Amino acid sequence: MSEFVDTSTFGARSVLVDNIGLLYTGDPAREEIPDAALVIQDGQVAWVGPSGEAPDADDRVDVQGAGVIPGFVDSHAHLVFAGDRTAEFNARMSGQAYTAGGIRTTVAATRAASRETLTGRMHDLVAEMRAQGTTTVEIKSGYGLTVEDERRSLEYAREVTEETTFLGAHVVPADMAADDYVRLVTGEMLAACAPYAKWVDVFCERGAFDGDQTREILTSGIKAGLLPRIHANQLTEGPGVQLAVELDAASADHCTHLTDADVEALASGNTVATLLPGAEFSTRSPYPDARRLIDAGAVVAIATDCNPGSSFTSSMPFCVALAVREMRMTPLEAIRAATYGGARALRRDDVGVLRPGARADLVVLDAPSYVHLAYRPGVPLIRTVFSS
């Protein structure tokens, strides 16, 4: 079981984390430092560099040659829900194709659930994530699909993160016409949810929302002060990625089926391509071509897509291992995507990186370097998580 160290308890005392085997900083200016050290003070990183050059500090923690990385930034998760979809998973593993239709099953269970049920599950999942090195998580609504159920989902998510996303446009409820539901999402629902959300998202996909509906919902969210992101190109090629870049969305998530024009747009714009390998693992679908995106110059992130239907994993180390094995990423590219890339997908420069001024969110591994996260998949290698 990993240990959690609350850096807010340090107060003004400086703490030297010393004798680091390999420090991955997440800072493009100096990504890797062997035989390293860093200093924490006032909840921030105060100094980073070679161990032999470390300044004096009030206290010292000797990590005995362990590797250290920034806390993982999980920029795509759905944690406010009730029930499970084991029957659906079992059917997929027995040969049935994934079509995203099971979302409505979770909607019914979530609507019927109490606050205690929903927040209890959410807090349990966040604790799982933290034990596996995640220190920043984004949480979406999307399993309520009524004004009040979407609003309360975001209110609950705010208990554990400032990165909350209004995903009223997850699917169209079975009892509503699509045009009527878009009007609800862009009107009364958006007004109720905007005070609790930072982001607005749409599942732009066959069987969910088309390009015109996605544009209308995202532009309405932008007018309400929310920042855009998109579920794009998961099941088929489609307009999602192009819309994301056009609207300067922070992230286009999934990016499984891309045209050359999509790849070029991601490489030339500010939108991060967030890949969710847990979804492909859990649905036996083709994995995104990370190699193609990286070679084109796109910024890539990795996230869990933790949800009860298509990717019920809370483990960023597992997703790192999948990215290396199944998406042709190097261990360095995968750890970069899970830290620095995730921060970029949330337009944050204070997390996912260990440099002076950043939050003191860091993970000590039970291994000399981050490479072991892919080299030893499934092994609990998170020794200590430092975060406030």
Side-chain angles (χ1 to χ4, degrees):
M1 187 69 176
S2 61
E3 176 189 10
F4 178 74
V5 176
D6 184 350
T7 57
S8 67
T9 63
F10 294 169
R13 294 183 65 80
S14 58
V15 177
L16 172 66
V17 181
D18 199 9
N19 197 13
I20 298 169
L22 180 66
L23 173 63
Y24 173 76
T25 69
D27 184 350
R30 196 182 191 188
E31 278 194 302
E32 296 181 333
I33 306 175
D35 189 17
L38 61 84
V39 175
I40 299 170
Q41 189 164 21
D42 295 324
Q44 295 184 326
V45 177
W47 180 90
V48 175
S51 186
E53 301 174 13
D56 292 335
D58 296 318
D59 298 296
R60 178 175 180 265
V61 176
D62 183 350
V63 300
Q64 301 177 326
V68 170
I69 61 174
F72 292 118
V73 180
D74 190 346
S75 61
H76 185 126
H78 308 250
L79 305 187
V80 184
F81 66 88
D84 71 39
R85 281 151 64 186
T86 50
E88 176 189 329
F89 177 80
N90 189 48
R92 283 202 307 273
M93 296 305 104
S94 302
Q96 295 184 23
Y98 174 66
T99 62
I103 291 170
R104 293 185 178 90
T105 302
T106 301
V107 169
T110 302
R111 288 176 175 178
S114 67
R115 178 188 184 112
E116 291 72 23
T117 295
L118 294 176
T119 57
R121 168 69 67 79
M122 178 186 69
H123 281 278
D124 286 347
L125 288 169
V126 170
E128 280 185 14
M129 290 176 162
R130 187 169 67 184
Q132 296 172 91
T134 296
T135 53
T136 302
V137 61
E138 178 260 16
I139 300 178
K140 304 178 189 295
S141 67
Y143 290 128
L145 309 189
T146 67
V147 172
E148 177 55 23
D149 286 305
E150 287 295 297
R151 187 208 62 78
R152 71 169 182 154
S153 293
L154 290 163
E155 179 189 350
Y156 301 163
R158 273 289 178 90
E159 294 181 9
V160 294
T161 184
E162 63 190 85
E163 302 294 344
T164 53
T165 299
F166 170 47
L167 183 60
H170 202 179
V171 293
V172 177
D175 59 349
M176 291 190 72
D179 289 346
D180 291 338
Y181 188 63
V182 170
R183 281 192 290 273
L184 180 67
V185 169
T186 56
E188 183 183 355
M189 188 181 289
L190 174 61
C193 291
Y196 301 95
K198 177 178 178 180
W199 304 94
V200 59
D201 195 349
V202 178
F203 188 18
C204 182
E205 188 55 78
R206 176 190 65 199
F209 297 88
D210 64 24
D212 290 340
Q213 292 166 335
T214 298
R215 182 191 298 278
E216 181 179 354
I217 293 164
L218 289 179
T219 53
S220 295
I222 292 167
K223 289 176 183 176
L226 305 183
L227 302 172
R229 53 200 319 110
I230 304 180
H231 284 61
N233 300 56
Q234 178 186 6
L235 305 177
T236 59
E237 294 177 1
V241 164
Q242 297 290 333
L243 264 174
V245 175
E246 176 191 336
L247 296 175
D248 195 31
S251 182
D253 297 26
H254 287 291
C255 294
T256 309
H257 299 277
L258 302 179
T259 65
D260 289 344
D262 292 333
V263 174
E264 182 179 350
L266 289 165
S268 60
N270 296 318
T271 300
V272 174
T274 298
L275 311 183
L276 309 170
E280 280 71 41
F281 177 86
S282 296
T283 60
R284 287 182 174 164
S285 302
Y287 285 88
D289 191 345
R291 181 83 273 128
R292 182 184 178 201
L293 286 161
I294 292 168
D295 289 348
V299 176
V300 170
I302 294 170
T304 62
D305 191 16
C306 183
N307 75 83
S310 61
S311 183
F312 203 4
T313 180
S314 57
S315 175
M316 286 291 279
F318 173 65
C319 291
V320 166
L322 283 179
V324 173
R325 175 62 183 84
E326 302 292 346
M327 300 197 306
R328 298 194 299 153
M329 297 176 77
T330 67
L332 175 59
E333 289 166 343
I335 200 70
R336 181 188 296 146
T339 54
Y340 171 80
R344 285 284 300 272
L346 296 176
R347 297 215 164 141
R348 300 275 296 270
D349 59 10
D350 62 329
V351 296
V353 63
L354 297 173
R355 63 184 170 208
R359 284 173 55 101
D361 290 347
L362 58 120
V363 174
V364 180
L365 303 174
D366 259 331
S369 82
Y370 63 81
V371 177
H372 286 246
L373 293 170
Y375 178 50
R376 305 193 67 207
V379 177
L381 295 179
I382 307 303
R383 181 194 300 175
T384 308
V385 179
F386 287 79
S387 186
S388 59

